[in-house]
Structure formats: structure tokens, C-alpha cells
Amino acid sequence: IYKYFFHDTYNDPGSLMILTRRNTLTITIILVLSSLFLNISCAVFKGRISTFSEMAESMEYLDLSPLRGRLIVIDPGHGGELPGAVGSGGLAEKDINLRVSLKLKEYLEEAEAEVILTREKDRSLFMSKIDSLRGNDLDYRVRVSNENEADLFISIHHNSNLPLNRKYNAVETYYKMEDSYSSFDAGRLIHKHLALNIKPEMNFLRPGNYYVVRSNERTAVLGEAAYISNPDIEKLLKKDEKADLEAKSYFLGILDYFSYGVPEIEVLYPMHETIIDESLPVIRISAMDDGFGGGIDPQSIRVNIDGRPASIGFEDNIITVIPEKELENRRHTIDVIAANRKGNHSLFHSSEFSVDMPASKIILKNIPDVIPPDFRTDMTITARILDENLNPVRDSTKVDFSLENIPGIQKTKFTLNGVVYFYVRHNSADTLNYSVTANEIEKVGSFIVSELNSPLLTVKVKTTDGDPLGSSSINLNNDQIRYSNTDGRTVFEQLTDDQKFNITAKKDGFYPVKIKGKIGEKESKSVNIEMKPVYEGVMSGITIMIDPENGGLSYGDIGPTGLRASDENYETAFFLKHFLEASGATAVISRDKDEDKTLYSRVRYANRTGARLFISLRYMGNPEIPHDNVSTFAYPSSSNGKRLGRYVIDSFFDLYGERGYGPDESAEYVLQQTACPALIVSLGNIYHPGTEDELYRTVRNRNDAYGVFSAIVRYFARERNDWGMLNGSITDNSGQPVENALVSLNGVFHLQTGKDGLYKFITLEPGEYDIKVDAYGYKSVTGTITINPNKELKRDFRLSTGK
């Protein structure tokens, strides 16, 4: 416009002002006309691509034969008391899901497919007590697919978003996350036809970890054909012809999938759940195409034995595999995948068998070398049972023990990792012979019963319930370390005569035990140690995934002086891992310090570890947020995630005296797709005054990790509410705070003082604790404190300089 009216004068501000005044009316008219033209053009263009307008594909002249006899399970999402998303106009997702599913069923049955609907009317799907244990009806939906060995499972849904955006719309198709083969094949072809016919503004094919696909053993897809939260889309979905258009789109995608053919895999030898007595079996696997895929593609075949790729041969539809080395005596897994020449894959086929080679060699060892004739000192006889390849025999192999000329002493045990332990004591000096027999292989050994030449110390470790505690670290006089065997025993020989001894027994998940004693010249002494589990064992055996956000070149937020959130996320995760392992849990971190992992890989890692909780840690950097308090975020339908979020807020209040925020609802990927309850914990604002400086030292990271750890303990010990607390100050002789002092309780939990010299323990079991304060350049201080239920104990310590 400037060039048209002003020619070369438009660069002169004065001329521009004069000419603009003169031509105001003309310019206004042109702008109005331009605006009208653009609006009309956009409306016409928008009309051409408007979603749900009409089918782009014809339903005529289709070859329906690939669907004949196929068993397809259609799952109309939600139902009954579970409406799913509800549009602003009142349309419930459960209703449109069912309408589309019923129409899809009609089309599939006309093509002679066999169809099972998980529901055919508006109702919840609590079909048994087993289902109701989950608190929802998802188990039944999955069981219909698994028990009927469906050729395809398709779950029909219509989406909404969080935070709510009424203008958003997209087609989203999810295939089973752990099946990038057949579920991916079906998902991409179904998605293709949804996108082609519904014509959304955006479309996404994504791996999904929703329960109905995650727990499905069959080819599984979940479709979100539109966003019911968009009022315009909701109005369309209320129309019967639009539901029909969607059903036709699904139908064409399913037909396309089966038109590509579906290979089938079967392990012929060794058959599933069988036991064989050969270590180099010739594995035979049948790989068959169904006639629609053009035959098996030999280059697509992949076979893993115990997760390791194996070399294969393929001829006449038979895959042959010979292991590269002898298989050990245990359970083994064969995983097979193959595709046909059109690119469709078989189901990921997994089969298990066990190798049980007979015993061929027995290795015996006596500990100690000599036992006294006191009829109370045990000789530990270790029998290691091996096959002809010198591999341990299979677990639970029967092993018999007998003592020569003493018929009453006969024992039978069963191997674990190829080993059994027998214990014998005697009351007369002699050289005694014994025999150990396994699978008709016999080995004879002997041991000596005689007066000792030096002290002998036997240590037996058990839990407070009386169970043997194997793999415990037994430290004698800070000089010798042994680990207890599976029966909780270990022996120290050739000790100094008439010496005092100090024993410390340690094992993750148990409070350490220290015992002092004295052993005399040539004495045989037995020490029994009872170890108490931390938090009564509620954390034992639990796997928890810790996810420090960002990593690698993804730094996250950065503080004013360059502090990277990714580094602090990892530092806090590192301390949290140690707290969890000390309590008996297994802690897994989703990334190494400098790795950049995708959200997808983090979720998959959690799936594969069998994590019971997924906890994502982040430090944010926002100068517009005035607070530095903790915030938590959970998925809207995750009651356990929200419960953990509340425990985190409570723990941080107990620890810092400030109330945090949450749990707020969020649909971030790691919250939406994890199989276990998940929580995002925002630990603080690195733009907040002093926070960045605190995070340059470890005290803030350690304390934040302790706050999250305390919340996890409360989560798993949910019936308990008698926690005690301990706080105090660490000062020097002049009363000045001591920074970086480590305060330890029972040698298990360690906290660190900051510049203020303060420390605080929360979520403590009532009882007596040994406390130790250690700071560089000061003498260590030890003592004993008693924690009472629901009480906070204050204990200050003053340190003096010196060693």
C-alpha cells in the first residue's frame, strides 16, 4: 500500500504523514475489502478440509476375504459409572465410544469377521472379584482379549486435554509401547485411514502404555479419533452419520492391516515349559505366513536366547538355531519375531524351557579345617554340584549326605546356584569320612575332629523373625570381612589367642549390629546376631524408578550464575537412591549423569524394571515465581500418585516448615504413560534468592532427597502414623555453627548441616538410636537417643577440635 500510494516518498517521515492523512479514506476502504477477501478465502479453504466432512475413501469393491474368520475384540472405552471425558454440551465419551463400536461391529461382521464387544450397552465392567480388586474394570477388558486369543484388540476412545483447551483437536492412535511389531503395524494402518477420512487438523501415531494395551498379550491398539472437549467436534459427534464415518475409517484400517497378512510363530523344540537334558539343543521354530503377506521375509527373522541375538537358518518355513555355547542349567527364554514380505510382523513370541543336565562333578570344601570334639561346633561342608560342562546344576537338584559308619546322620538338601551346605558336629576326636550324592554321582570327603590350635569364631546372622540372613557383611575388628552364606553363617579361623573381638554386621534394609566379646585360647565360640529390618521391612524388595529430568545437552532451566537444573536433578536423585537402598528398596535412576534420555525411553525403562513408583525430580528456574517451595504433580485419575504427592508436601513441611503446593493435576507424558503410580516433584526455584547458592553445595540436594524419601516411606507404611522427629544444632566450642557436619542415625541415614549448623530428621520409627556427629577437623561425637511416638526431640552437639 505504501509503495502504491507514496511511490518513492514513503521513506520520508514527513511526506508519509501528509500522504497518510490525504489517503485515509482510500486506505481504509482497501483494508476493509482485503479483510473481507481474506475471511471469505479462509472460510472456503477451511470448508474444504473441515474435519468429519465426508469419507475420502470408497466402501465399494473391497476385497473382504482377509477379514474372514478373524477374531477382533472391540472395546468401547469407559461405561456405566465411568463416563470418561464429557464435552461442554453434555456428550459423554462413553456414549460416543459405544455408538462407534457398535457400527464398527456391524461392518466387521458383514465381512465375516468374528467380533466380541467388551460391552454392548452402557454399563461398568466389574465381572468378578478379581476385576474389582483394581478398583476399575480394565482387567476384564484385557482378559476378554487374552483368553480369546484375539487377532486384534481395538479400544475406542475420544479425547480431552489437560490443561483444558476447547479449541484443540487431533486424531491420536496408540499402539502397545512394548510391541513395536504387530501392534505398531496395526496402529499405523488404522491411523492412516482415520487421518485420511476424518481429516483432522493434526494427527499423531504414538506408543501407548495404557493398561488395556500394556497388559494385552495380543496385537493391541487404542484410538482417540477426536477431542470431545472441542465444542465444534462434540456437535459433530452427536450426529449419527459422523459416528458412522469414524466406524468406517476404523473398518478400512483393520481391513488394510489384515490385507497385509499376519505371520504366525510356534516354537517346535524345545516346547514351552519343558525340561531338556542337553546343553546345545537344536532349536526349531515354525514361521508361517497366512497367504496374504507374500511369504516370510528371511531377513526379518530375529531370535534371541536369554536376550542375546542368535544366529539362525531358515528353510521350508522352519527356523533353526543352535546356541553359540552350552546353556546353563536353568530356565531359558526364546524370543522370536518375523515379518512377511509386505512388512507385517508376527506377535512377539516368547517361549521358556529349562536345561537340566545331570550332575557330573562334585566339589567339596570344609570350613573350618578342624572342629573340636565338643558336639556344638559345626563343620560346614560346602558341596558344589556341576554338570559335564562345569556349569552348576539346576536349582532344586536333590543332594544326599551321609556320615560313614553313623547311619543316623543322613541329610537331604536341594541346590541353589549349584551349591548346598551341610553341617556336622561330633563329640570324639577322629577323622570322619562322609559322602555326598547327586544324580548317582558320589563324592567322598573327610574332616578332622581334634583339639584346636587357635581360636575359632562362628557367626550366625538371622532376622528378628528367625530367618537366616544371607549376604550380610561381617566385619571382624576392622581387619577381616566375610559374607554370610545362604544359611546366614560364616567362620573366622586362626585368630589370635585370648583376644577381644568387635563384630559389625551390615546389610541394606537392616540396622547394623555391633557386638563385642572375648575369645579364649583354643576356644570355639559361636556368636548369634539378630538384625532388625529398617521400617519393619516395608521397603524391602520394592523397586522405585527415580527420574532426574533433562540430561546431556538438555540442561533444563539455568540459574543466574549458570547453575544447570539437569545437574541438580541428578545430584538429588543420587542421594535419594542411597536413602532408598539403605531402607531395603531397589532404586533405579533413569539416566546416567550426562545422558539425554527421551521421555519414551524413561517410561519403557520403568516398565522393564517392574517399578512400583516413578518419581520425576526437577528444579525449575522462573524469576516470575516468588516462592521456593516444593510442588507436586500427578495424573488426574491416579489416586496413588496424588496420595504420594500429599505425603511429599507433608514431609517438606515437617522438614522446612513451609507448606508446598499440590498435588496438582497434570497430563505430562511420564505421568500419563507409566504403568505404576507416578509423581513429578518440583523441588525448588533456582532463581529464588539463595537457592542457587545452596545448590552449589550438596546440603540442599541431600535434604531435598531426604524429604522425598520420607514421603515414600509414609506411602508404603500407610497404616503407620506414630512417626517421631529429631532436630538440633552442631556448633564449635565458641558456639559458632559447624557447616558440613554429617549426622548419622544407626549408621544408616546421614544428613548434613548447612551454614546454620542445623539438622533435622523426620519420619523416624519410635525407638532407640545410636547417633554420631562427624565433621572435618573436629572430634567425632557419639551417643544414644530415644525417639518417642509423635514427638520431636531436640539434641544439640558441641564439637571440639582435634582428631
Side-chain angles (χ1 to χ4, degrees):
I1 293 173
Y2 284 154
K3 287 184 179 180
Y4 183 81
F5 282 97
F6 310 141
H7 302 287
D8 294 332
T9 63
Y10 72 93
N11 287 318
D12 181 349
S15 300
L16 176 62
M17 186 178 297
I18 296 170
L19 289 171
T20 300
R21 291 194 192 105
R22 291 175 179 175
N23 294 282
T24 299
L25 179 61
T26 306
I27 294 173
T28 302
I29 292 171
I30 291 175
L31 289 174
V32 169
L33 290 174
S34 300
S35 176
L36 289 172
F37 173 77
L38 288 172
N39 287 335
I40 292 169
S41 299
C42 289
V44 172
F45 182 70
K46 184 176 180 181
R48 288 176 186 162
I49 62 166
S50 60
T51 187
F52 280 101
S53 58
E54 59 182 3
M55 287 288 293
E57 298 179 279
S58 172
M59 294 287 286
E60 297 181 354
Y61 310 113
L62 298 174
D63 179 7
L64 304 179
S65 61
L67 286 172
R68 189 173 298 124
R70 298 291 187 180
L71 176 57
I72 299 168
V73 173
I74 305 174
D75 172 42
H78 309 289
E81 298 176 356
L82 305 170
V86 179
S88 59
L91 179 62
E93 182 189 355
K94 65 177 182 177
D95 296 327
I96 183 60
N97 294 347
L98 182 59
R99 283 169 52 211
V100 172
S101 297
L102 290 171
K103 290 179 179 293
L104 176 58
K105 179 176 184 288
E106 292 179 13
Y107 290 119
L108 289 170
E109 289 183 336
E110 287 176 6
E112 299 183 35
E114 184 179 349
V115 180
I116 300 176
L117 261 66
T118 57
R119 65 181 178 95
E120 297 192 17
K121 58 183 180 180
D122 181 21
R123 64 182 179 89
S124 299
L125 293 177
F126 294 103
M127 303 302 293
S128 70
K129 291 182 179 179
I130 295 175
D131 302 320
S132 63
L133 289 176
R134 282 183 48 85
N136 57 43
D137 60 0
L138 301 181
D139 277 334
Y140 171 75
R141 300 172 192 265
V142 172
R143 204 166 68 244
V144 170
S145 176
N146 291 342
E147 291 182 356
N148 288 283
E149 298 185 350
D151 293 307
L152 175 66
F153 173 91
I154 177 76
S155 190
I156 307 294
H157 290 259
H158 295 80
N159 218 336
S160 180
N161 52 18
L162 186 72
L164 186 62
N165 180 355
R166 294 291 187 188
K167 296 181 180 180
Y168 186 84
N169 184 50
V171 166
E172 296 169 356
T173 308
Y174 295 87
Y175 59 91
K176 183 166 61 174
M177 179 177 285
E178 298 299 327
D179 179 18
S180 57
Y181 302 105
S182 67
S183 293
F184 169 78
D185 297 335
R188 70 171 184 159
L189 290 172
I190 290 170
H191 182 78
K192 167 189 171 183
H193 292 274
L194 289 174
L196 187 62
N197 292 293
I198 294 176
K199 306 180 189 71
E201 297 175 5
M202 294 177 288
N203 67 85
F204 305 98
L205 174 66
R206 291 170 170 162
N209 202 37
Y210 301 107
Y211 187 85
V212 291
V213 293
R214 178 179 72 245
S215 301
N216 220 303
E217 298 169 3
R218 314 301 297 175
T219 302
V221 175
L222 185 147
E224 302 268 14
Y227 271 68
I228 197 173
S229 52
N230 183 314
D232 294 332
I233 297 299
E234 181 188 12
K235 291 176 184 177
L236 293 173
L237 292 175
K238 288 181 178 180
K239 299 178 181 180
D240 193 61
E241 65 268 22
K242 304 307 180 184
D244 184 65
L245 185 152
E246 184 179 327
K248 288 177 179 176
S249 303
Y250 274 114
F251 171 78
L252 291 173
I254 293 170
L255 173 60
D256 208 3
Y257 168 65
F258 286 109
S259 297
Y260 277 59
V262 182
E264 292 188 8
I265 299 295
E266 181 184 4
V267 175
L268 303 176
Y269 181 83
M271 295 182 67
H272 184 58
E273 295 292 353
T274 58
I275 299 174
I276 63 173
D277 60 356
E278 51 184 326
S279 59
L280 281 174
V282 178
I283 298 170
R284 299 175 69 249
I285 304 164
S286 169
M288 301 290 292
D289 185 35
D290 61 2
F292 293 101
I296 298 297
D297 180 358
Q299 291 183 315
S300 73
I301 300 171
R302 276 170 280 181
V303 179
N304 289 342
I305 300 177
D306 298 329
R308 298 175 62 86
S311 299
I312 65 168
F314 181 65
E315 188 173 354
D316 296 331
N317 294 321
I318 299 296
I319 305 167
T320 55
V321 183
I322 300 178
E324 295 182 356
K325 62 180 182 179
E326 290 86 359
L327 298 179
E328 298 176 352
N329 294 289
R330 58 180 177 85
R331 181 179 289 265
H332 297 274
T333 302
I334 306 171
D335 296 324
V336 190
I337 195 74
N340 59 33
R341 295 173 195 182
K342 288 186 178 180
N344 261 11
H345 290 81
S346 66
L347 279 170
F348 187 81
H349 186 93
S350 187
S351 179
E352 293 185 343
F353 68 97
S354 295
V355 173
D356 186 10
M357 294 281 288
S360 178
K361 185 179 183 65
I362 300 175
I363 300 175
L364 302 175
K365 183 177 182 180
N366 302 334
I367 301 176
D369 295 328
V370 179
I371 59 170
D374 57 8
F375 209 70
R376 59 183 177 83
T377 301
D378 287 326
M379 169 66 71
T380 301
I381 298 170
T382 303
R384 191 174 299 277
I385 318 298
L386 307 175
D387 67 10
E388 63 183 25
N389 301 312
L390 302 182
N391 289 323
V393 295
R394 192 163 67 101
D395 286 353
S396 300
T397 296
K398 181 184 176 184
V399 182
D400 295 317
F401 173 90
S402 61
L403 198 58
E404 187 178 273
N405 300 323
I406 307 178
I409 302 182
Q410 295 181 340
K411 303 178 182 181
T412 297
K413 287 196 171 183
F414 298 90
T415 57
L416 178 63
N417 298 322
V419 175
V420 292
Y421 301 98
F422 295 102
Y423 305 97
V424 184
R425 57 185 63 168
H426 212 263
N427 59 358
S428 61
D430 201 352
T431 299
L432 300 177
N433 296 322
Y434 62 88
S435 65
V436 174
T437 305
N439 297 127
E440 300 182 356
I441 301 296
E442 182 181 41
K443 182 67 179 286
V444 176
S446 63
F447 62 90
I448 299 172
V449 182
S450 177
E451 295 296 331
L452 298 176
N453 294 320
S454 61
L456 178 67
L457 183 62
T458 301
V459 180
K460 301 176 184 178
V461 189
K462 61 181 180 180
T463 68
T464 51
D465 293 330
D467 298 322
L469 198 54
S471 302
S472 301
S473 168
I474 313 300
N475 188 324
L476 177 65
N477 295 332
N478 292 320
D479 180 43
Q480 300 184 57
I481 297 178
R482 304 275 193 276
Y483 287 90
S484 59
N485 65 18
T486 54
D487 294 328
R489 301 189 184 204
T490 191
V491 177
F492 293 91
E493 302 176 78
Q494 299 176 348
L495 304 180
T496 304
D497 289 346
D498 195 30
Q499 74 167 13
K500 295 179 180 179
F501 61 82
N502 294 288
I503 294 175
T504 302
K506 294 182 179 180
K507 185 176 175 66
D508 280 346
F510 293 83
Y511 291 115
V513 175
K514 295 183 178 181
I515 293 180
K516 295 182 178 181
K518 188 175 182 180
I519 190 167
E521 181 182 0
K522 301 179 181 180
E523 180 185 1
S524 173
K525 192 174 186 117
S526 180
V527 175
N528 295 312
I529 296 177
E530 188 176 272
M531 299 188 72
K532 178 185 176 183
V534 176
Y535 292 118
E536 299 181 347
V538 297
M539 303 294 292
S540 178
I542 292 172
T543 299
I544 295 171
M545 172 68 74
I546 311 169
D547 176 40
E549 291 190 356
N550 312 115
L553 294 178
S554 174
Y555 305 135
D557 291 325
I558 299 176
T561 64
L563 186 82
R564 306 186 306 187
S566 59
D567 300 326
E568 303 314 307
N569 299 341
Y570 185 85
E571 188 82 4
T572 299
F574 176 80
F575 282 116
L576 178 55
K577 182 176 189 291
H578 281 278
F579 281 122
L580 289 168
E581 289 176 342
S583 71
T586 299
V588 183
I589 299 182
S590 63
R591 66 173 172 93
D592 290 336
K593 183 174 176 62
D594 291 323
E595 277 188 311
D596 185 3
K597 291 286 189 71
T598 65
L599 299 178
Y600 172 67
S601 66
R602 295 168 195 248
V603 171
R604 289 195 71 190
Y605 192 17
N607 288 348
R608 292 173 178 179
T609 60
R612 295 271 299 278
L613 284 179
F614 183 100
I615 300 174
S616 192
L617 303 178
R618 68 166 61 142
Y619 287 93
M620 65 176 182
N622 190 338
E624 297 180 1
I625 297 178
H627 68 81
D628 188 39
N629 296 357
V630 66
S631 301
T632 60
F633 303 89
Y635 195 65
S637 61
S638 177
S639 59
N640 283 324
K642 291 177 180 178
R643 181 165 64 89
L644 177 60
R646 288 190 291 271
Y647 283 132
V648 170
I649 300 302
D650 292 343
S651 294
F652 273 70
F653 178 76
D654 290 341
L655 196 60
Y656 294 118
E658 295 180 352
R659 178 64 62 180
Y661 301 91
D664 292 330
E665 293 185 344
S666 171
E668 291 192 43
Y669 188 82
V670 296
L671 300 178
Q672 183 189 73
Q673 295 296 331
T674 47
C676 57
L679 187 73
I680 293 175
V681 183
S682 181
L683 293 161
N685 187 353
I686 58 179
Y687 262 88
H688 190 272
T691 301
E692 186 181 32
D693 184 56
E694 289 179 1
L695 288 170
Y696 274 113
R697 295 178 293 276
T698 60
V699 58
R700 173 67 181 266
N701 303 94
R702 192 192 300 267
N703 285 338
D704 285 351
Y706 181 64
V708 177
F709 165 73
S710 297
I712 295 172
V713 171
R714 296 179 187 187
Y715 175 89
F716 285 107
R718 58 190 303 173
E719 301 299 326
R720 189 162 194 166
N721 57 6
D722 62 345
W723 307 113
M725 292 190 283
L726 169 68
N727 75 85
S729 63
I730 313 297
T731 57
D732 61 17
N733 284 332
S734 63
Q736 294 300 308
V738 176
E739 187 178 4
N740 295 321
L742 279 183
V743 185
S744 304
L745 289 184
N746 280 357
V748 175
F749 301 123
H750 311 274
L751 290 183
Q752 180 179 352
T753 59
K755 292 180 179 179
D756 56 8
L758 300 179
Y759 72 94
K760 187 173 188 180
F761 288 92
I762 61 175
T763 318
L764 295 178
E765 297 178 272
E768 190 174 275
Y769 291 84
D770 292 329
I771 188 168
K772 180 179 180 180
V773 181
D774 179 54
Y776 182 76
Y778 296 89
K779 294 179 180 178
S780 297
V781 175
T782 59
T784 302
I785 54 105
T786 299
I787 298 297
N788 293 311
N790 300 309
K791 299 291 184 182
E792 183 170 356
L793 176 66
K794 182 174 177 58
R795 181 61 60 86
D796 298 330
F797 293 91
R798 179 162 289 192
L799 305 183
S800 57
T801 57
K803 296 183 180 179

